[in-house]
Amino acid sequence: MKDIQSSADHRGIEIQKVGINDVYMPFMIKTKEGGFESVTSRIRFTVSLPKEFKGTHMSRFVSILNKWSGQPIAEPEMEKMLDEALYRLNATSAELAIGFKYFVNKVAPVSGEHSVLDLDCAFVGKKSKGENFIFELGVDVPFTSLCPCSKEISDYGAHNQRSLARINVRFRDGYDCIYIEDLAELVENEASCPIFPLLKREDEKFVTEKAYNNPKFVEDELRDLVLAMRKIEGLEWFSLECENFESIHNHNAYANHEEYIE
Amino acid sequence: MKDIQSSADHRGIEIQKVGINDVYMPFMIKTKEGGFESVTSRIRFTVSLPKEFKGTHMSRFVSILNKWSGQPIAEPEMEKMLDEALYRLNATSAELAIGFKYFVNKVAPVSGEHSVLDLDCAFVGKKSKGENFIFELGVDVPFTSLCPCSKEISDYGAHNQRSLARINVRFRDGYDCIYIEDLAELVENEASCPIFPLLKREDEKFVTEKAYNNPKFVEDELRDLVLAMRKIEGLEWFSLECENFESIHNHNAYANHEEYIE
Amino acid sequence: MKDIQSSADHRGIEIQKVGINDVYMPFMIKTKEGGFESVTSRIRFTVSLPKEFKGTHMSRFVSILNKWSGQPIAEPEMEKMLDEALYRLNATSAELAIGFKYFVNKVAPVSGEHSVLDLDCAFVGKKSKGENFIFELGVDVPFTSLCPCSKEISDYGAHNQRSLARINVRFRDGYDCIYIEDLAELVENEASCPIFPLLKREDEKFVTEKAYNNPKFVEDELRDLVLAMRKIEGLEWFSLECENFESIHNHNAYANHEEYIE
Amino acid sequence: MKDIQSSADHRGIEIQKVGINDVYMPFMIKTKEGGFESVTSRIRFTVSLPKEFKGTHMSRFVSILNKWSGQPIAEPEMEKMLDEALYRLNATSAELAIGFKYFVNKVAPVSGEHSVLDLDCAFVGKKSKGENFIFELGVDVPFTSLCPCSKEISDYGAHNQRSLARINVRFRDGYDCIYIEDLAELVENEASCPIFPLLKREDEKFVTEKAYNNPKFVEDELRDLVLAMRKIEGLEWFSLECENFESIHNHNAYANHEEYIE
């Protein structure tokens, strides 16, 4: 049966990325506590395609992923999948991005009630032939923000809302990536108040007053996070996006920032 | 060229609804002020299919819609499209649902600044042979809600958030449907505070304090809306859905209710 | 600390459904093979609220769900959660809907290669005081459809596309619900061709030719599924929605049908 | 009333982008035929924030946009809005991105029937103090792709599907940007077959056979588009993304490419 994909191409164009998108697969993610959490992942897996070939082999991407279906994956496993893609697809560069919902444990601030909070996370791995493996972690952390202007000018009350910080980090060679749990905590420390799925009345009083005592603009959240990120040892690059789903508008306050650390 | 769709079917199944979905088309919607607003509509258009025929004719739905592309549509035009579908597709019932973003004018409460607020709206028309035309209007109205429990138990502040009311209404024969603008105002009257795209500082003080003075659970919003709906003359049926995008949780408080008015 | 929610309400309106929406939590789902699969669930959990009370207690919904977080859930566990909600929230009816991606094993038709296919599924449970527990299963199954008209009128080729069947089923008392795997297979048997994540060239030839030999309109898919559903023993009710994401249009062909079986 | 936003900030961090997101507003877009089309736009509008200031003034973004609400906008108007933002918000750089659905006229290839096709489009404008205005146009164009491998190895038929090309372009100073209509046509010329909302039977035969005669991998679509883009006079940069919503899989074939033209 003819292999059309392997036939010669004469257009002279090397394709930067080609592969599969929106594939879903289950994986296991190592938790900070040392166990594993099952996640449902949405995947994009691509390679570069040399100008000599008409097409890549799409089924091989699925075949590579399949071996890890339902298995624990972290940085080393991401690199193995990329190495196999480079080899089996004759590519000079490969990229694998997986997104998944991950649950972290939360303890209500007064009652001590336990619950689990969902965070949208991403692992992105990149590998080029003869170069080091690059790994990026992305975590979206919801939190409460309370408006300093509204508090200042109003006789009572202050508008507040659900907000989201989207963080991506990349570490220098020789440094391990941070845990999802730690990145989430780092965001929550800079928020007007963290978010909890389960709050009893005494907790609700606590978070209401804490947010009121700790007003922050989207600019404050972003800047305080930048300062916190700069203190992380071994961090090479990060990007931040903060968004407040304003309670008084039908649109959002938004800020973003990206930084390479010397 | 053979018309496969018209060939006989022997499975004996009348299909309740068959047609096209996720078609987009521009229309004009009459505003309360008497002008017209251009909208981008997402459309589902279906008919029943008699058990004798293998298939309906999908291109005729598009052809019927095309005549109205870019034109003003309201109840009478929806009925004309349904009548044409009943006739051209040999159907006993037809349904046309269009969803669109519609902009209403808002005036900031203190500064008087003007701005436009986007509302997700829907027109749904239904017609069966020999029966009256049925028309339903749907409007999603964003507003601010402030939690009575949080206010009561906290020494200062109260959590508040963006909320959404989704309302659908149907009037009795002989009564005209309400305007989108009026339905939006009706929701805003029952909210802790309406939402405005443009607020100056004096307005922000006003809405912050107004919401604080007017705390409402999702249950309060729903009940107060039910009472308000019951007063609308000629209303035959309504459904309500209220959702608060809680600032202290990553999930929402939710309530719904449906009522036929005697 | 005052319990505002429990205070008396004088508006005289019993709320049909009130609770929490868009909560995420991990659960385990029993597979047909006898094991368990971890899933990430999106949840709506509501109760009715008697007209005497101002509000329900939102934290109790989370508290009830929490006990089952990460645990196996099926019909009996759904009923237990509803019973607890009825009791702890003083309600006369309760409803719990959870949606999740579930992976089923697929074997390529010629090469025999294994892979996993993601299906969007739902468990919906309803309970009213003194009445039987109602359980509904929903499964969305992707498949390939090939157009009979296009095949008939063209000298070669025929347009085909990805399609989706959305099925919901409810069984009579005394009958167990069908497995997700079986419902998926039932859809695939009526499709132009099933979908497989991993196909080698010999498989691709097989599925291309199989679809071409088995052309079906969206009406054919729906009717053949109706016939198949009617043969399921103990089935009390089903709803079907078929949608073809037409390769020759930017909109979809769509059909739906609902049936109570005598 | 105190202006908290203008108060001094001592963290020493200039924020790269801060502003409003997910604002909706109606605008008019000039068509190639010389008229105007009303669109519903989703907007992100940001500026840089000097390290000296605590916050930007969110209401001014809305105020700037408001003046253009319902008005025709193109490159010059985008630049005016950015200039006003630079001035009123004391910023050194500003960015305005608006996305909207735009309808283009399509004529069925045999019957000559007219219909309108919806395309997702974007205008992105960027301006830094003392630098030239940068304008980017983005257009997403749906089309039909037919698989060369499936055609080659199968005795009859070939799988085909709806596909999408996402194109962004930027022209050199002194060159006008291309029309949306022309960019759409450029994509359609390289597709297995264009997409039409309204097709009669004779048209359906035509598009079925045309696609079968013109098989293309996602790699072919991308490469042929790259070649076509390179011929556009004055083009400085483009990015391309092609995605096939495979009829035989539940995932997509995907390719992307970005190029600065010397």
Side-chain angles (χ1 to χ4, degrees), chain D residues 90-103:
Chain D
N90 263 315
T92 55
S93 68
E95 188 167 329
L96 173 59
I98 69 165
F100 53 89
K101 258 197 197 299
Y102 180 87
F103 293 95

PDB file of all heavy atoms in Angstrom, chain D residues 90-103:
ATOM      1  N   ASN D  90      -1.497  58.229  29.708  1.00  0.00           N
ATOM      2  CA  ASN D  90      -0.071  58.451  29.995  1.00  0.00           C
ATOM      3  C   ASN D  90       0.785  57.225  29.723  1.00  0.00           C
ATOM      4  O   ASN D  90       1.682  56.890  30.496  1.00  0.00           O
ATOM      5  CB  ASN D  90       0.098  58.797  31.484  1.00  0.00           C
ATOM      6  CG  ASN D  90       0.187  60.284  31.682  1.00  0.00           C
ATOM      7  OD1 ASN D  90       0.907  60.955  30.939  1.00  0.00           O
ATOM      8  ND2 ASN D  90      -0.549  60.777  32.662  1.00  0.00           N
ATOM      9  N   ALA D  91       0.508  56.531  28.638  1.00  0.00           N
ATOM     10  CA  ALA D  91       1.172  55.257  28.380  1.00  0.00           C
ATOM     11  C   ALA D  91       2.211  55.392  27.272  1.00  0.00           C
ATOM     12  O   ALA D  91       2.150  56.307  26.450  1.00  0.00           O
ATOM     13  CB  ALA D  91       0.129  54.207  27.994  1.00  0.00           C
ATOM     14  N   THR D  92       3.158  54.476  27.236  1.00  0.00           N
ATOM     15  CA  THR D  92       4.153  54.486  26.163  1.00  0.00           C
ATOM     16  C   THR D  92       3.786  53.505  25.057  1.00  0.00           C
ATOM     17  O   THR D  92       4.315  53.580  23.961  1.00  0.00           O
ATOM     18  CB  THR D  92       5.557  54.135  26.696  1.00  0.00           C
ATOM     19  OG1 THR D  92       5.459  52.875  27.381  1.00  0.00           O
ATOM     20  CG2 THR D  92       6.044  55.203  27.664  1.00  0.00           C
ATOM     21  N   SER D  93       2.875  52.569  25.347  1.00  0.00           N
ATOM     22  CA  SER D  93       2.411  51.669  24.284  1.00  0.00           C
ATOM     23  C   SER D  93       0.965  51.275  24.562  1.00  0.00           C
ATOM     24  O   SER D  93       0.526  51.247  25.720  1.00  0.00           O
ATOM     25  CB  SER D  93       3.299  50.430  24.175  1.00  0.00           C
ATOM     26  OG  SER D  93       3.140  49.621  25.305  1.00  0.00           O
ATOM     27  N   ALA D  94       0.249  50.991  23.489  1.00  0.00           N
ATOM     28  CA  ALA D  94      -1.168  50.632  23.614  1.00  0.00           C
ATOM     29  C   ALA D  94      -1.502  49.577  22.571  1.00  0.00           C
ATOM     30  O   ALA D  94      -0.869  49.504  21.507  1.00  0.00           O
ATOM     31  CB  ALA D  94      -2.047  51.866  23.421  1.00  0.00           C
ATOM     32  N   GLU D  95      -2.471  48.736  22.880  1.00  0.00           N
ATOM     33  CA  GLU D  95      -2.875  47.676  21.950  1.00  0.00           C
ATOM     34  C   GLU D  95      -4.393  47.506  22.001  1.00  0.00           C
ATOM     35  O   GLU D  95      -4.993  47.519  23.071  1.00  0.00           O
ATOM     36  CB  GLU D  95      -2.173  46.364  22.329  1.00  0.00           C
ATOM     37  CG  GLU D  95      -2.388  45.267  21.322  1.00  0.00           C
ATOM     38  CD  GLU D  95      -1.462  44.076  21.523  1.00  0.00           C
ATOM     39  OE1 GLU D  95      -0.311  44.263  21.996  1.00  0.00           O
ATOM     40  OE2 GLU D  95      -1.895  42.947  21.217  1.00  0.00           O
ATOM     41  N   LEU D  96      -4.968  47.359  20.814  1.00  0.00           N
ATOM     42  CA  LEU D  96      -6.417  47.203  20.708  1.00  0.00           C
ATOM     43  C   LEU D  96      -6.710  46.022  19.791  1.00  0.00           C
ATOM     44  O   LEU D  96      -6.267  45.989  18.640  1.00  0.00           O
ATOM     45  CB  LEU D  96      -7.020  48.488  20.111  1.00  0.00           C
ATOM     46  CG  LEU D  96      -8.507  48.487  19.748  1.00  0.00           C
ATOM     47  CD1 LEU D  96      -9.384  48.176  20.955  1.00  0.00           C
ATOM     48  CD2 LEU D  96      -8.906  49.842  19.156  1.00  0.00           C
ATOM     49  N   ALA D  97      -7.417  45.018  20.311  1.00  0.00           N
ATOM     50  CA  ALA D  97      -7.747  43.833  19.502  1.00  0.00           C
ATOM     51  C   ALA D  97      -9.249  43.658  19.497  1.00  0.00           C
ATOM     52  O   ALA D  97      -9.879  43.616  20.562  1.00  0.00           O
ATOM     53  CB  ALA D  97      -7.069  42.594  20.091  1.00  0.00           C
ATOM     54  N   ILE D  98      -9.824  43.597  18.297  1.00  0.00           N
ATOM     55  CA  ILE D  98     -11.265  43.373  18.227  1.00  0.00           C
ATOM     56  C   ILE D  98     -11.532  42.179  17.317  1.00  0.00           C
ATOM     57  O   ILE D  98     -10.932  42.018  16.262  1.00  0.00           O
ATOM     58  CB  ILE D  98     -12.029  44.621  17.730  1.00  0.00           C
ATOM     59  CG1 ILE D  98     -11.746  44.900  16.262  1.00  0.00           C
ATOM     60  CG2 ILE D  98     -11.686  45.855  18.554  1.00  0.00           C
ATOM     61  CD1 ILE D  98     -12.743  45.875  15.674  1.00  0.00           C
ATOM     62  N   GLY D  99     -12.403  41.304  17.774  1.00  0.00           N
ATOM     63  CA  GLY D  99     -12.781  40.123  16.996  1.00  0.00           C
ATOM     64  C   GLY D  99     -14.250  40.209  16.653  1.00  0.00           C
ATOM     65  O   GLY D  99     -15.042  40.690  17.461  1.00  0.00           O
ATOM     66  N   PHE D 100     -14.622  39.764  15.461  1.00  0.00           N
ATOM     67  CA  PHE D 100     -16.023  39.872  15.034  1.00  0.00           C
ATOM     68  C   PHE D 100     -16.318  38.866  13.937  1.00  0.00           C
ATOM     69  O   PHE D 100     -15.424  38.425  13.227  1.00  0.00           O
ATOM     70  CB  PHE D 100     -16.309  41.301  14.526  1.00  0.00           C
ATOM     71  CG  PHE D 100     -15.343  41.770  13.464  1.00  0.00           C
ATOM     72  CD1 PHE D 100     -15.585  41.533  12.113  1.00  0.00           C
ATOM     73  CD2 PHE D 100     -14.169  42.434  13.811  1.00  0.00           C
ATOM     74  CE1 PHE D 100     -14.695  41.950  11.139  1.00  0.00           C
ATOM     75  CE2 PHE D 100     -13.259  42.851  12.840  1.00  0.00           C
ATOM     76  CZ  PHE D 100     -13.521  42.611  11.504  1.00  0.00           C
ATOM     77  N   LYS D 101     -17.578  38.516  13.822  1.00  0.00           N
ATOM     78  CA  LYS D 101     -18.033  37.686  12.701  1.00  0.00           C
ATOM     79  C   LYS D 101     -18.365  38.614  11.544  1.00  0.00           C
ATOM     80  O   LYS D 101     -19.081  39.603  11.730  1.00  0.00           O
ATOM     81  CB  LYS D 101     -19.283  36.903  13.089  1.00  0.00           C
ATOM     82  CG  LYS D 101     -18.982  35.469  13.413  1.00  0.00           C
ATOM     83  CD  LYS D 101     -20.207  34.592  13.409  1.00  0.00           C
ATOM     84  CE  LYS D 101     -19.896  33.288  14.135  1.00  0.00           C
ATOM     85  NZ  LYS D 101     -18.819  32.514  13.515  1.00  0.00           N
ATOM     86  N   TYR D 102     -17.872  38.258  10.362  1.00  0.00           N
ATOM     87  CA  TYR D 102     -18.070  39.076   9.173  1.00  0.00           C
ATOM     88  C   TYR D 102     -18.636  38.156   8.089  1.00  0.00           C
ATOM     89  O   TYR D 102     -18.189  37.022   7.933  1.00  0.00           O
ATOM     90  CB  TYR D 102     -16.716  39.654   8.744  1.00  0.00           C
ATOM     91  CG  TYR D 102     -16.725  40.538   7.525  1.00  0.00           C
ATOM     92  CD1 TYR D 102     -16.976  41.904   7.643  1.00  0.00           C
ATOM     93  CD2 TYR D 102     -16.449  40.021   6.267  1.00  0.00           C
ATOM     94  CE1 TYR D 102     -16.951  42.729   6.522  1.00  0.00           C
ATOM     95  CE2 TYR D 102     -16.428  40.845   5.141  1.00  0.00           C
ATOM     96  CZ  TYR D 102     -16.684  42.198   5.277  1.00  0.00           C
ATOM     97  OH  TYR D 102     -16.661  43.008   4.171  1.00  0.00           O
ATOM     98  N   PHE D 103     -19.621  38.669   7.361  1.00  0.00           N
ATOM     99  CA  PHE D 103     -20.270  37.836   6.344  1.00  0.00           C
ATOM    100  C   PHE D 103     -19.776  38.199   4.944  1.00  0.00           C
ATOM    101  O   PHE D 103     -19.741  39.378   4.587  1.00  0.00           O
ATOM    102  CB  PHE D 103     -21.784  38.008   6.403  1.00  0.00           C
ATOM    103  CG  PHE D 103     -22.394  37.477   7.664  1.00  0.00           C
ATOM    104  CD1 PHE D 103     -22.641  38.302   8.753  1.00  0.00           C
ATOM    105  CD2 PHE D 103     -22.686  36.126   7.787  1.00  0.00           C
ATOM    106  CE1 PHE D 103     -23.177  37.811   9.930  1.00  0.00           C
ATOM    107  CE2 PHE D 103     -23.229  35.619   8.962  1.00  0.00           C
ATOM    108  CZ  PHE D 103     -23.478  36.462  10.034  1.00  0.00           C
TER     109      PHE D 103
END
